[in-house]
Amino acid sequence: AMIPLVKEDGTSHYNADNSLIKILLRVPSLSEPLTELLLEKLPVVSDDRNCNIARMTVSQLRWMNSLSYDVVITKLNEVLPVCPLPVQKEMIAGLPEILSDE
């Protein structure tokens, strides 16, 4: 769901950088609950040796204009302490792009 969408003929209906998650995050009614769900699942699907899922999840949240910063901060405060250290680093490294000045 986090891999860019491409048709079988090699063309993409959406921008090649769009994944299913990014498309769903742009839907206003889905943005907040999906953000919460993605952040809640990080401790479950991540481990000390592999933080690729965390990296992909954080990359989906970067540059999203419709995110509720209150939701992101609240969820990060909940899940950050229980995530493995590499995942914590990924999440913290992504904060400047997720929580822009706008």
Side-chain angles (χ1 to χ4, degrees):
M2 295 185 194
I3 299 172
L5 298 174
V6 179
K7 293 181 183 176
E8 284 184 23
D9 63 0
T11 64
S12 61
H13 178 68
Y14 298 100
N15 182 331
D17 293 331
N18 285 338
S19 66
L20 178 60
I21 297 294
K22 278 187 183 178
I23 292 167
L24 292 175
L25 281 169
R26 289 188 183 126
V27 177
S29 62
L30 296 177
S31 178
E32 188 172 314
L34 185 56
T35 300
E36 287 184 39
L37 180 66
L38 287 171
L39 292 174
E40 283 175 6
K41 295 300 177 184
L42 275 181
V44 176
V45 298
S46 302
D47 61 25
D48 289 330
R49 292 166 279 141
N50 185 4
C51 62
N52 287 335
I53 293 174
R55 187 176 296 117
M56 287 190 304
T57 302
V58 170
S59 74
Q60 302 304 308
L61 299 176
R62 291 179 182 184
W63 317 113
M64 300 305 298
N65 295 330
S66 61
L67 288 180
S68 167
Y69 299 130
D70 292 336
V71 169
V72 173
I73 294 292
T74 302
K75 277 297 161 191
L76 283 175
N77 281 333
E78 289 176 17
V79 302
L80 196 61
V82 296
C83 288
L85 185 59
V87 174
Q88 290 178 7
K89 289 179 181 179
E90 280 296 324
M91 293 169 71
I92 291 169
L95 284 178
E97 288 88 15
I98 294 171
L99 305 173
S100 65
D101 291 339
E102 296 177 16

